[in-house]
Amino acid sequence: MTSELQKTVGRRLRERRRELGLSQEAMAEQLGYHRTFLGSVERGERNLTLASVEQLATSLGVPALDLLRD
């Protein structure tokens, strides 16, 4: 089951990736994830822990709340 919050995090992550001009593969490599994992996060298919959201935000140089806000 995909929640609205999962979709929001995925959408915000995709927006940030595009702002940085990165492909999924390039961003995944930069963050230390596999491209398929990052793609599933962007599609809202992953139920991330708060620690994971915080780690992603830190790696992207944005506050964690920015990934959670719609």
Side-chain angles (χ1 to χ4, degrees), residues 40-64:
S40 65
V41 171
E42 286 188 1
R43 290 187 302 275
E45 297 171 352
R46 294 282 178 161
N47 188 13
L48 300 175
T49 64
L50 290 175
S52 296
V53 171
E54 185 175 38
Q55 180 183 14
L56 279 170
T58 298
S59 297
L60 293 170
V62 298

Side-chain angles (χ1 to χ4, degrees), residues 12-30:
R12 299 290 290 146
L13 183 61
R14 182 181 301 115
E15 289 170 2
R16 182 66 178 145
R17 176 176 60 78
R18 289 179 176 165
E19 287 171 4
L20 295 170
L22 297 172
S23 66
Q24 279 185 348
E25 188 171 2
M27 185 172 190
E29 185 176 314
Q30 179 180 325

